[in-house]
Amino acid sequence: MLDYSTVVLVLGTLFCVAGILLSLFVSRHRFGAQEPAREVSLGVARLPAESAAKLAAFASLILLPALAMFIANYHTFEGVHEVSGCASCHVMRPMVTDMKDPDSGTLAARHYKNRWIATDQCYHCHSDYGLSGNLEAKMTGFRHLARYTTNTYHEPIRGRVRFDNKNCLNCHETTAKFKAVKSHTTAHDRLASNQMICLNCHGASHPTGAQRTPGSADYSRLMEGWR
């Protein structure tokens, strides 16, 4: 069974190739040189040769490029769900490497190795709940891609927004294990209002900025992958 990424890749490639071939075809024909009386069959209709040439120009210069851009943007928006989408940018690779390291004690690694989140681990933690949270996370992913491709970032990268505790509480606060910890009940209101963050007690979610800085003792390990 084909997944969406394969379908998107095939369609995007077809639109690009069709646009290039059609552009080459159009570039070799002059609109004014077409015989007025000659008609061209398009399968479902017959058009004057000059009208068919203009239609081909419209398809090659506007329609097919627009479809290719739509497919590319769709792939970007859907690709942010996958861990591999994050790992495709080298500045995010340290986080993904650490998350998959069974010896790491960061929150991301503990969630990953215990399968507390079965799939799309990065997206589940970094997208707020609801439609607006979903859209914001995808737009953030698109912005990250734009910054990465234009090389307008600095290492170590830092989050622009404060992490919302609700992303943790939506999964944890109704569990018996969470309720059994007295401090969770005592600090619940402050956690729910983000006056206090979960990381105060539960440690770092990812490698520190110092570890992720090029030239640090941990940088090569985090970039190459754990052994």
Side-chain angles (χ1 to χ4, degrees):
M1 183 176 179
L2 294 177
D3 58 9
Y4 94 89
S5 59
T6 302
V7 174
V8 166
L9 180 62
V10 171
L11 285 177
T13 302
L14 288 176
F15 289 146
C16 290
V17 171
I20 293 171
L21 293 177
L22 200 54
S23 294
L24 291 174
F25 172 80
V26 170
S27 67
R28 300 180 64 178
H29 294 77
R30 290 182 174 274
F31 296 146
Q34 304 295 327
E35 298 178 13
R38 189 168 68 88
E39 292 187 339
V40 176
S41 176
L42 300 179
V44 295
R46 295 183 65 83
L47 293 176
E50 185 173 349
S51 296
K54 290 180 179 180
L55 184 62
F58 173 78
S60 63
L61 298 177
I62 297 177
L63 180 60
L64 289 171
L67 289 172
M69 289 179 63
F70 173 80
I71 288 291
N73 280 280
Y74 175 81
H75 179 63
T76 299
F77 284 135
E78 288 301 310
V80 300
H81 287 91
E82 302 173 0
V83 172
S84 59
C86 297
S88 62
C89 294
H90 90 274
V91 291
M92 295 300 297
R93 202 171 301 159
M95 271 71 82
V96 176
T97 298
D98 175 80
M99 182 182 71
K100 293 183 176 182
D101 184 353
D103 296 324
S104 174
T106 62
L107 277 180
R110 286 154 57 193
H111 278 72
Y112 185 86
K113 68 185 175 184
N114 289 301
R115 311 308 292 173
W116 291 335
I117 301 175
T119 59
D120 302 335
Q121 290 83 5
C122 302
Y123 188 79
H124 277 290
C125 279
H126 288 279
S127 63
D128 294 340
Y129 281 75
L131 178 61
S132 61
N134 198 331
L135 291 175
E136 183 179 357
K138 291 187 177 185
M139 290 304 296
T140 298
F142 190 83
R143 176 174 56 81
H144 288 171
L145 178 62
R147 292 286 298 274
Y148 182 74
T149 54
T150 56
N151 197 31
T152 54
Y153 64 90
H154 301 282
E155 294 188 78
I157 56 174
R158 302 182 185 279
R160 290 177 52 179
V161 297
R162 184 185 176 103
F163 188 80
D164 192 345
N165 287 338
K166 290 181 181 178
N167 293 342
C168 298
L169 295 175
N170 273 304
C171 289
H172 290 287
E173 69 177 336
T174 58
T175 65
K177 187 175 181 179
F178 181 90
K179 294 178 179 179
V181 180
K182 185 177 180 180
S183 60
H184 287 163
T185 303
T186 304
H188 183 271
D189 291 341
R190 282 180 292 166
L191 290 171
S193 61
N194 288 310
Q195 295 176 19
M196 177 180 180
I197 62 173
C198 300
L199 302 184
N200 286 348
C201 296
H202 291 281
S205 54
H206 295 293
T208 65
Q211 290 176 305
R212 294 184 281 107
T213 299
S216 74
D218 295 303
Y219 187 75
S220 295
R221 174 182 61 83
L222 291 171
M223 289 299 294
E224 295 174 3
W226 56 271
R227 293 177 173 81

